[in-house]
Amino acid sequence: MAPSRPASSPLPDVVALTAAAPKYVSLAEQRWVALVDRDDARPEECDVVHWWRWEKELVGYIHDVQSGRIIRADLHPGFLGYERRPRVITALPGMGWMACYHLDTPTGPTSEDRPVLAWLVYDDDTITPQDVDHDGLVYCSTDTHGFSHIQPPQEPRPPT
């Protein structure tokens, strides 16, 4: 059944979308990882593939690559804890924005502007620009070395 909309609503699609939006997100719709210490510099992030209620607590299960089995994360040697990771929920077009970089090259410092291909929107309300270089490779702008700032689209100049 389609959500009803008020007769005076100027934006029926927005009203319908807002009415259908969930009030909360379950653990199954979120991305969680179990941090496991394997004597490396950084703990390994293992995706939680299932949650199970054990007595009064919620326990995550991970895929153990060494044994090839799904195991309880908190019983794994080196278990450090759980952390939530954001998931992409949609992508928006770049719309003329530019990612600007200050790079050190063998010939000296230089700047480079790359078009923003898309904006990724995550379920934790963060948005990150994704730019494309001259070879066609796509990068998360904010994670790329030398990133300086994002520049808005240039205003078109009136003809003279």
Side-chain angles (χ1 to χ4, degrees), residues 66-81:
Q66 293 173 341
S67 68
R69 301 180 348 198
I70 304 296
I71 62 169
R72 186 173 158 163
D74 62 340
L75 297 180
H76 191 284
F79 173 76
L80 299 172

Side-chain angles (χ1 to χ4, degrees), residues 19-155:
K23 295 193 187 314
Y24 66 92
V25 177
S26 73
L27 284 175
E29 295 168 339
Q30 298 175 356
R31 180 172 180 237
W32 286 82
V33 295
L35 300 175
V36 178
D37 185 15
R38 298 207 191 262
D39 297 328
D40 296 332
R42 292 179 44 182
E44 181 181 348
E45 294 184 3
C46 303
D47 283 319
V48 174
V49 295
H50 183 70
W51 290 98
W52 189 264
R53 185 165 304 282
W54 182 259
E55 295 178 359
K56 292 186 178 186
E57 64 183 2
L58 209 52
V59 178
Y61 284 77
I62 60 174
H63 177 250
D64 182 32
V65 291
Q66 293 173 341
S67 68
R69 301 180 348 198
I70 304 296
I71 62 169
R72 186 173 158 163
D74 62 340
L75 297 180
H76 191 284
F79 173 76
L80 299 172
Y82 300 108
E83 284 189 8
R84 184 177 184 279
R85 294 292 185 259
R87 287 175 50 174
V88 174
I89 55 173
T90 193
L92 303 171
M95 301 294 291
W97 287 75
M98 300 294 281
C100 303
Y101 294 88
H102 294 297
L103 306 170
D104 292 323
T105 63
T107 58
T110 185
S111 61
E112 181 179 345
D113 296 344
R114 300 177 189 167
V116 172
L117 179 66
W119 297 88
L120 296 185
V121 181
Y122 294 85
D123 62 356
D124 67 350
D125 298 330
T126 58
I127 300 173
T128 59
Q130 309 293 308
D131 66 73
V132 59
D133 69 5
H134 62 276
D135 292 326
L137 300 174
V138 177
Y139 298 92
C140 177
S141 306
T142 55
D143 291 342
T144 305
H145 174 72
F147 174 71
S148 171
H149 64 280
I150 296 291
Q151 182 174 324
Q154 298 292 329
E155 295 281 330

